[in-house]
Amino acid sequence: MADQFDVIEAGERGRRRWTGLVVALALLLIPVVGLLVSRDPEPESEAAPASRTPGPISSLTTLDNAPNVLSVPARKKGDDEVIQVVFPHGARAEVRYPAELRLAELGSRPYRAGWIDGVFREFVAPYGGEIEVTRGGRALRNYAANVTLWPRQAGSGQYGQVLLFAFGPWRLAMYDRGQGLTFEQRTAVAEGLKGRVTKDGYLVLTARSGVRLAEPGEHLQGESVGPQLWFGGGAGEMVALVPTPDCGKQARMPGAIDRPGRRGEMVCRGDVLVAVTGPPSFRTKAISGIRVTMK
């Protein structure tokens, strides 16, 4: 049987023999040259790494999710720590607590609620920042320069679309319910809710144009809805400080503390309600050790 490569060898046989010899020599030289090159690499210049750095890809989106809590410096006082706080309605206070509670380290967030044309809604600083609302997606629309509308979140139960407010570094979310507010009501709250950031970083909220914010001591359906400061949160330890005039009679557990599967405790310290949740040892130390002095 003729060899399968006979067709290549047909014709000028002498010339093809020389050609085959050249090819064979080239095949032998290739690994030798490669070995020599690998032994003596050319040194890189200092600028080489920069020249190989790829530029940004325009199709990727950078997520800006700054922490949505405020940690202020604490002052030591014996076995306690002392911090200065500002509630979201502008009142100031001094908070003293056992150092092992780490309130300054946990950081605080503002909470406020109110009524838009008589419809109750809450304004909450998401513990995980704006990514809890945006999920890296796109807003449905803008209602103001600092207010965007986001889709209903999966697994949010009775809650609907979300208005996200930006006040300096702070992000506040208003989770709608049921069919939600009308376009006019959303516009009213977007334009009517105002926020300013104090020199020490706290957020103070005011309202106008058909929006009324709940004042200290107000409660709704058995829960405190007045201005509050929340320390910690998520699935961990949490403390809520709630200014409450005549606290002994008006105190109600905040909804953020009293949740299914989480045991909460509360105590009045003057005109401030202290509500806590977390492990038993944390609750005991917080209830017995936190002191709040309004200024």
Side-chain angles (χ1 to χ4, degrees):
M1 179 183 290
D3 190 88
Q4 60 177 329
F5 294 111
D6 278 353
V7 66
I8 299 175
E9 298 291 325
E12 300 172 304
R13 303 180 64 87
R15 182 178 176 182
R16 280 174 168 74
R17 288 195 185 99
W18 282 106
T19 302
L21 181 61
V22 171
V23 171
L25 289 173
L27 292 173
L28 289 174
L29 287 174
I30 287 173
V32 175
V33 173
L35 179 62
L36 292 174
V37 170
S38 64
R39 284 180 178 176
D40 189 20
E42 204 170 307
E44 295 180 355
S45 65
E46 293 183 1
S51 65
R52 291 200 304 270
T53 302
I57 302 175
S58 59
S59 62
L60 298 182
T61 301
T62 300
L63 299 178
D64 182 11
N65 193 50
N68 209 35
V69 297
L70 175 65
S71 296
V72 297
R75 174 170 54 89
K76 293 289 291 184
K77 197 167 185 179
D79 293 332
D80 294 343
E81 290 182 345
V82 179
I83 57 175
Q84 307 298 319
V85 303
V86 182
F87 289 96
H89 64 304
R92 291 181 171 269
E94 179 179 274
V95 181
R96 180 171 177 169
Y97 56 92
E100 58 264 38
L101 292 179
R102 311 177 348 268
L103 291 192
E105 183 181 335
L106 289 176
S108 67
R109 296 175 287 149
Y111 164 90
R112 207 142 189 213
W115 291 263
I116 302 98
D117 290 338
V119 180
F120 179 77
R121 290 292 182 268
E122 298 173 292
F123 304 99
V124 180
Y127 182 73
E130 67 180 47
I131 195 67
E132 284 191 19
V133 174
T134 67
R135 308 293 184 184
R138 294 180 178 273
L140 298 176
R141 66 174 301 143
N142 286 63
Y143 276 91
N146 66 319
V147 185
T148 47
L149 179 68
W150 295 85
R152 176 184 180 276
Q153 297 176 350
S156 59
Q158 62 179 329
Y159 292 99
Q161 295 175 334
V162 189
L163 278 181
L164 185 65
F165 298 77
F167 299 113
W170 288 104
R171 299 296 181 267
L172 286 187
M174 190 207 79
Y175 296 87
D176 224 336
R177 299 184 181 185
Q179 294 182 346
L181 301 179
T182 65
F183 175 83
E184 291 74 19
Q185 289 170 329
R186 286 175 174 173
T187 301
V189 71
E191 296 176 349
L193 187 67
K194 302 297 180 182
R196 66 176 178 87
V197 181
T198 67
K199 291 181 179 180
D200 34 10
Y202 290 95
L203 178 63
V204 176
L205 297 170
T206 56
R208 61 184 186 188
S209 302
V211 181
R212 184 181 78 80
L213 296 177
E215 296 298 330
E218 289 197 65
H219 48 83
L220 183 68
Q221 296 179 351
E223 296 182 1
S224 291
V225 296
Q228 305 171 22
L229 277 181
W230 294 349
F231 292 82
E237 303 153 342
M238 186 174 177
V239 173
L241 302 182
V242 189
T244 308
D246 197 10
C247 185
K249 295 181 179 179
Q250 300 298 325
R252 303 289 190 281
M253 182 71 80
I257 300 295
D258 188 18
R259 294 180 179 179
R262 298 179 58 169
R263 181 174 178 180
E265 298 182 45
M266 64 180 185
V267 65
C268 288
R269 297 300 181 194
D271 285 339
V272 178
L273 173 68
V274 178
V276 303
T277 188
S281 60
F282 180 85
R283 299 198 309 267
T284 299
K285 291 175 183 177
I287 288 294
S288 62
I290 294 178
R291 298 291 185 272
V292 184
T293 304
M294 300 298 295
K295 295 183 176 180

